[in-house]
Every structure is written in C-alpha cells, then in structure tokens.
Amino acid sequence: MLHFADSLTFSGRKVVAAWAALPFPALSGSSLPDVLSAHQQDVPWKFLSSWKEQKVSCCFAQSVVLRGICQEKATSCPGQPRSPLHSCESPEQVLQQYIHTQFPGAFSTSHVLQQPCHTRPPFPQFFSPLLSRRGFLLDKAQGSSSAAVESIPVLAALQSSPVLHWLLSGLCRELRAPRARRWSSFCTAGLEHDDFQEALEELRSLAQCYEPGSGASEDEADSD
C-alpha cells in the first residue's frame, strides 16, 4: 500500500485519502452508464476519514476500482445514446470517461472487476433492507424473512486531493492547541520539545502542498 500511495503523490506530497461506496448505489437491473449519469453533480463515493465531510471538486491524482457491476450491459438504450457515457463500448471506458469528466486534468487510473465483494457470514449484516441479495438497490424494502445480503458492488478510490489540505491543517491546529502541552505521554516517550516543533512544521509544510492554487499544482498544470 505504501508503494501504491507513492505512485499517486508528487510535488512534495506524501499522503492520499481513501474514499468508498459500500455498496455502490446501483438499482437492480440498471447499467453502469445509468448509475453514473445520475451522479453528474457529485461523485457517489464518500470520504472514509473521521474528519468532517468534504466535497471534492478536483484532485491531483487518483486510482479508482469498481467491483461487481460490470455484469450489466454497458449501454441500456438502443438507438441514439442518451449521454456520452452510454456511447462507451465497455464498463472500463464508462468509468474512465466519468472520472475524466469529474476530475479533468487529473492523473487518473481506473479498473473494473467483475467479481463483487462477498458478504456471507461472518461478514456483519449491517445493510439496509432496501438491498437485494446481490447488493443492488430495490424499490421496496425486503421483508424480515428475506435472505441476507450475499455480495455487494463496491467502488473504492485513493486520491491525492485538496481535501488533505484541510485535514492536515486541522490536525496541525489540534496539536498546537494548549492541551497538547499537557500530554505527559510525549515526555514519557522521550519526545523533546524541539523535535515536536520540528514535526509540527513538517506537517504544516505538507498541508501546504495540498492547498488549492499552490505553486505545486500550478507547476503540474503547466506540465499538462
């Protein structure tokens, strides 16, 4: 995972953020172009950090993997395509087209796998009754006697994005708060005050690398 994250970071950046849609919000019988066309204003995956919710409108680099939905036909309507996504010939092209539309100019890789994520026991059954056994959304909730969810479509992504500026800056502010000086565990662990201040400065500098409009992102835009 460390080497994979390194492949998505450059210009002084060292951290990536994890996102996921578990399960991927797809109606039973719908195609991938149908699902993604319904999310043109906002991507259907969520930030996994405990930090406050952030909307992502751009990123520097990302890798996206979708599992368990490519069994459906890529084009659901005959004749004239309803959108550029419906004109794609494969699920891989659909996902790639969607990502490039949502994050133009970003370095992006995408993969579509047929195998879903299996959720048979001992996987916890915390799913909504609006899910079918295959993890697709239903129009009506299943009854209490229905079978458990056996598999789900999943989308996961790693992103180097400006969201990390707010997360790392917030962490830096928390560590600079007066209560941090009362953490006796720092002294117990042998951490010197100068070392602590140096680590805070490095964290602040790292956060600046993710700031929108920073020199690093401008250099990347020029190189593109």
Side-chain angles (χ1 to χ4, degrees):
M1 182 61 72
L2 178 62
H3 294 298
F4 184 49
D6 284 343
S7 68
L8 298 175
T9 54
F10 34 79
S11 299
R13 304 181 187 112
K14 302 178 181 179
V15 182
V16 292
W19 305 74
L22 192 155
F24 185 69
L27 287 169
S28 180
S30 63
S31 68
L32 183 56
D34 292 334
V35 177
L36 294 179
S37 294
H39 293 277
Q40 295 290 349
Q41 301 301 318
D42 197 8
V43 294
W45 52 90
K46 302 293 184 182
F47 194 26
L48 295 186
S49 171
S50 60
W51 195 251
K52 60 185 179 181
E53 183 72 17
Q54 292 283 352
K55 182 177 180 179
V56 177
S57 58
C58 66
C59 73
F60 310 117
Q62 63 183 337
S63 179
V64 182
V65 177
L66 175 63
R67 298 179 55 178
I69 197 175
C70 58
Q71 301 97 323
E72 310 296 335
K73 293 178 62 178
T75 304
S76 60
C77 266
Q80 187 70 23
R82 293 181 297 170
S83 73
L85 294 179
H86 287 84
S87 66
C88 296
E89 297 181 355
S90 67
E92 289 81 5
Q93 291 182 3
V94 173
L95 182 59
Q96 188 176 48
Q97 173 71 22
Y98 177 78
I99 291 173
H100 285 308
T101 301
Q102 295 293 322
F103 304 99
F107 169 75
S108 301
T109 64
S110 60
H111 303 278
V112 178
L113 307 177
Q114 184 173 355
Q115 187 81 5
C117 178
H118 293 292
T119 56
R120 298 185 181 95
F123 199 97
Q125 290 295 315
F126 47 60
F127 301 107
S128 164
L130 288 172
L131 287 185
S132 68
R133 293 176 63 180
R134 291 178 55 204
F136 291 96
L137 297 173
L138 300 170
D139 293 331
K140 296 188 299 183
Q142 300 186 74
S144 57
S145 60
S146 60
V149 176
E150 297 181 352
S151 66
I152 55 172
V154 175
L155 185 144
L158 289 180
Q159 276 189 350
S160 173
S161 73
V163 165
L164 289 162
H165 168 69
W166 310 113
L167 190 149
L168 295 172
S169 296
L171 177 60
C172 192
R173 287 193 298 270
E174 289 289 325
L175 291 173
R176 289 183 185 275
R179 62 178 177 273
R181 301 186 188 129
R182 299 196 297 267
W183 291 350
S184 59
S185 58
F186 281 4
C187 297
T188 304
L191 180 63
E192 298 290 339
H193 182 266
D194 290 344
D195 294 337
F196 178 67
Q197 292 299 322
E198 182 180 353
L200 281 180
E201 183 60 27
E202 291 178 354
L203 182 61
R204 187 189 67 82
S205 298
L206 180 60
Q208 289 180 338
C209 293
Y210 295 90
E211 188 172 8
S214 65
S217 60
E218 291 171 359
D219 292 342
E220 290 154 15
D222 292 340
S223 64
D224 292 340

